[in-house]
Amino acid sequence: MRPDIIMWEGKEVFAPKEFRSNCYMYNSILTLDKVINAEVEKTVGRGRGARRVKQKKYNNVDQAVRDRIANSLEYYQQKMETQPEIKFRDYQEDIIKRGVCVLKDTGMLYLGMEVRTGKTLTSLGICDLMDVDNVLFITKKKAISSITSDGDKLCPSYALFVINYESMHKLPDIKWDIVILDEAHSIGAFPKPSKRAKDVKAMVSKCKSKVILLSGTPTPESYCQMYHQVYGIPNNPFAEFKNFYRFADKYARVKQRKINGLMINDYSNGLDTILEAMKPFTINFSQKDAGFKVDTREHVLQVDMSSMTHQLASKLKRDLVIEGSDEVILADTPVKLMMKLHQLYSGTIKFESGKSQVIDLSKAEFIKEKFKGKKIGIFYKFKAELEALKSVFKDTLVTDLEKFTDTDKSIALQIVSGREGISLREAEALVYYNIDFSATSYWQSRDRMTTKDRLESDVYWVFSRGGIEADIYKAVTKKRDFTVNHFKKLNKE
């Protein structure tokens, strides 16, 4: 059977296409139906016996194709009807109305809506009132399925296409009327624009698209992160500056820092005037505004790692190198030592060769036993930690969001890729196998269970006794990244 065809109730239908919603598929097939099954009137007979009858315009189309089109329309219609109907909350209705005005007037809208306040649906609702044909939603790969599901529930008047940032080169040659940039802060790197930011700029320039930016944390580390989020949009408030450096002349206090013996300009101290300039384009909305009173209960659990793990950590701190018969662990700089200890205390290590190895299953075994019989979401940091979890949990663990939602299995997600744009509301608890150095990762990932209807959640941090995780935790809970300077200070004490 052809890869673009699937069987449904014994009938051939067109298979769902990657990144496309059920509504998109239905509308596309409906257009095909109108062409393939178009009818024309023809005169049959002569004289008084002549009459006008309708006939198929194209008689050379295989009947199997016509049947497949009819079956597909029925299939996708049924898929859409089984989706629960979307009802916007009152505050979403208000933001939609205001957002439409801003987008029509300026061509750009920034929805700074906190996590779980429904910014995805709000943005789709805005597009529904914009009288457009094609909307492109760019997000993280793990969020595609949930956003496509939202699109199916809404069944908008436009064609919705959902794709991840890394796959933008696969986009069909379509004029996108509106582009929605999910987790827009992820394209805010400076002083040089990221490839992601350049790709977005090129596409917006080509299509002359209106743009909606979404983020619960628009500038998590510096106000200067705003520049490359919007620099590709023609009417942005910083359009007068040809690059970030000229923007920084006006909107940042530039300092010099000594890094590896060289004096480097530090542009991270952005001014409040950046947010002032963005005000006409921005609608902010918090969980407090929505009436959320979130109760996230955090629990720290201590695990005894194997004696071998502690011996390796002690030797590395003392000698800064461990040589084995085939591999080497090298920690010849403070940064490397910090990273290697962070790995070791959670039971894995990455060698100088680039290969990784699981050396201690204590954490994975502890988590499995502690949360036996529960459906949980597990966050890990290093790739080898996933291997440790898989070896212990076996087939009761998945990494795919749809499989997690549809089964009683637990899910494992890497902290950075899983901290944004997804919901783990089906989880009974969130469990952190390890902790990230980033304060942004801490605050965003711990809120993955929160919804309007579920405001209480339990988050468990699994730390090795005598490891460095507790020190990282102290830093990030104070909204500070854990840096090598923190690490150096701790090692001197």
Side-chain angles (χ1 to χ4, degrees):
M1 183 177 292
R2 286 163 42 188
D4 60 339
I5 296 171
I6 59 172
M7 296 303 294
W8 169 67
E9 296 184 354
K11 297 177 283 191
E12 288 187 358
V13 299
F14 291 113
K17 292 189 176 181
E18 192 178 17
F19 311 125
R20 291 167 171 85
S21 66
N22 292 326
C23 278
Y24 185 100
M25 291 297 297
Y26 179 84
N27 290 328
S28 298
I29 296 166
L30 187 61
T31 301
L32 180 64
D33 177 62
K34 290 176 181 178
V35 174
I36 295 296
N37 292 315
E39 293 182 333
V40 292
E41 283 193 349
K42 288 189 177 181
T43 301
V44 177
R46 294 182 179 180
R48 292 183 179 181
R51 67 185 189 279
R52 301 285 289 176
V53 296
K54 287 185 176 181
Q55 294 182 351
K56 295 292 184 185
K57 185 176 180 180
Y58 304 106
N59 295 314
N60 59 341
V61 178
D62 193 320
Q63 185 58 41
V65 174
R66 297 187 194 275
D67 291 343
R68 196 177 301 135
I69 291 172
N71 296 339
S72 299
L73 287 173
E74 185 183 354
Y75 171 73
Y76 287 104
Q77 178 73 41
Q78 189 178 109
K79 294 277 279 186
M80 291 188 295
E81 287 174 353
T82 57
Q83 293 284 352
E85 186 180 348
I86 286 291
K87 185 170 176 20
F88 291 110
R89 299 165 192 153
D90 290 343
Y91 70 78
Q92 287 177 309
E93 294 275 11
D94 175 62
I95 294 172
I96 287 170
K97 290 175 185 175
R98 290 160 56 199
V100 167
C101 293
V102 173
L103 194 58
K104 284 183 175 179
D105 289 345
T106 68
M108 179 178 86
L109 170 66
Y110 205 121
L111 292 181
M113 299 174 66
E114 285 188 357
V115 61
R116 307 275 79 87
T117 56
K119 56 182 176 290
T120 298
L121 273 175
T122 301
S123 67
L124 298 179
I126 290 169
C127 295
D128 216 21
L129 298 182
M130 288 294 294
D131 190 26
V132 294
D133 296 321
N134 298 301
V135 173
L136 175 64
F137 197 112
I138 313 177
T139 185
K140 288 194 166 186
K141 188 173 184 179
K142 289 188 182 294
I144 289 176
S145 59
S146 63
I147 293 164
T148 301
S149 176
D150 285 343
D152 289 335
K153 292 172 189 174
L154 184 62
C155 198
S157 57
Y158 51 84
L160 175 66
F161 193 96
V162 186
I163 198 169
N164 56 306
Y165 284 99
E166 294 79 10
S167 297
M168 284 179 63
H169 62 282
K170 298 180 182 178
L171 282 170
D173 189 15
I174 291 174
K175 185 184 183 302
W176 304 108
D177 301 302
I178 297 177
V179 175
I180 303 174
L181 304 176
D182 195 21
E183 307 299 347
H185 59 268
S186 68
I187 64 172
F190 62 87
K192 298 284 187 181
S194 63
K195 181 183 183 301
R196 186 178 290 188
K198 289 178 181 178
D199 289 345
V200 169
K201 181 180 181 179
M203 184 185 55
V204 170
S205 176
K206 176 185 176 183
C207 297
K208 304 293 187 289
S209 313
K210 290 180 170 58
V211 181
I212 301 176
L213 302 98
L214 308 179
S215 180
T217 51
T219 52
E221 292 157 5
S222 166
Y223 292 152
C224 286
Q225 287 175 293
M226 187 62 72
Y227 179 77
H228 283 130
Q229 292 182 55
V230 302
Y231 89 127
I233 306 168
N235 197 35
N236 82 80
F238 316 116
E240 64 183 282
F241 306 106
K242 68 177 184 178
N243 56 40
F244 175 84
Y245 300 103
R246 299 293 73 78
F247 157 84
D249 290 341
K250 180 177 179 180
Y251 284 103
R253 289 195 181 92
V254 184
K255 298 178 180 177
Q256 286 208 317
R257 294 174 58 194
K258 194 171 186 178
I259 300 177
N260 294 329
L262 298 174
M263 298 305 294
I264 304 294
N265 284 341
D266 179 1
Y267 298 94
S268 61
N269 191 9
L271 304 178
D272 293 348
T273 49
I274 295 172
L275 299 188
E276 287 294 322
M278 284 294 298
K279 267 190 177 179
F281 308 89
T282 305
I283 298 176
N284 292 313
F285 197 80
S286 67
Q287 290 183 346
K288 185 177 179 181
D289 294 331
F292 284 32
K293 190 175 180 182
V294 179
D295 180 17
T296 303
R297 298 179 290 267
E298 298 194 39
H299 315 268
V300 174
L301 307 175
Q302 298 278 345
V303 177
D304 290 313
M305 303 301 284
S306 70
S307 58
M308 182 187 71
T309 295
H310 287 287
Q311 288 168 11
L312 288 172
S314 296
K315 180 173 176 56
L316 194 63
K317 283 192 275 189
R318 184 181 67 248
D319 302 335
L320 303 181
V321 64
I322 299 175
E323 294 187 68
S325 56
D326 299 312
E327 299 286 358
V328 175
I329 305 173
L330 183 62
D332 54 349
T333 68
V335 172
K336 272 191 172 184
L337 180 60
M338 180 177 74
M339 291 295 291
K340 297 304 179 188
L341 291 176
H342 196 189
Q343 293 165 17
L344 280 171
Y345 283 124
S346 287
T348 70
I349 191 64
K350 187 172 184 178
F351 302 111
E352 278 301 290
S353 66
K355 295 179 182 178
S356 296
Q357 184 177 325
V358 177
I359 60 169
D360 192 341
L361 293 173
S362 299
K363 273 196 177 185
E365 290 169 345
F366 174 86
I367 293 169
K368 185 180 180 183
E369 183 61 31
K370 175 73 177 177
F371 299 96
K372 190 175 182 178
K374 291 188 177 182
K375 182 184 174 83
I376 59 175
I378 307 172
F379 280 112
Y380 64 91
K381 179 170 174 60
F382 301 107
K383 289 180 181 179
E385 293 169 357
L386 176 60
E387 298 308 312
L389 288 165
K390 284 180 176 179
S391 70
V392 171
F393 279 79
K394 311 239 180 260
D395 61 356
T396 63
L397 187 72
V398 298
T399 56
D400 180 80
L401 194 59
E402 283 189 72
K403 290 179 182 176
F404 171 70
T405 303
D406 297 338
T407 67
D408 60 354
K409 296 181 179 183
S410 295
I411 190 170
L413 297 168
Q414 199 162 26
I415 295 172
V416 173
S417 61
R419 73 187 184 187
E420 301 167 334
I422 64 168
S423 173
L424 298 179
R425 57 182 174 270
E426 292 86 2
E428 295 177 55
L430 291 186
V431 181
Y432 283 78
Y433 182 100
N434 206 340
I435 186 169
D436 193 57
F437 297 127
S438 164
T440 301
S441 292
Y442 167 78
W443 291 101
Q444 289 185 335
S445 60
R446 67 195 281 277
D447 219 8
R448 291 301 98 194
M449 290 167 61
T450 304
T451 69
K452 177 70 174 173
D453 302 314
R454 178 183 180 170
L455 303 178
E456 296 184 356
S457 56
D458 287 289
V459 176
Y460 295 85
W461 301 90
V462 181
F463 296 159
S464 60
R465 206 179 304 277
I468 69 169
E469 301 101 300
D471 296 312
I472 299 172
Y473 181 73
K474 287 176 187 176
V476 297
T477 52
K478 295 175 183 176
K479 297 192 176 183
R480 297 200 310 257
D481 289 354
F482 185 86
T483 66
V484 71
N485 289 330
H486 286 91
F487 179 71
K488 284 181 179 176
K489 184 179 178 182
L490 291 169
N491 270 8
K492 287 179 182 178
E493 291 175 356

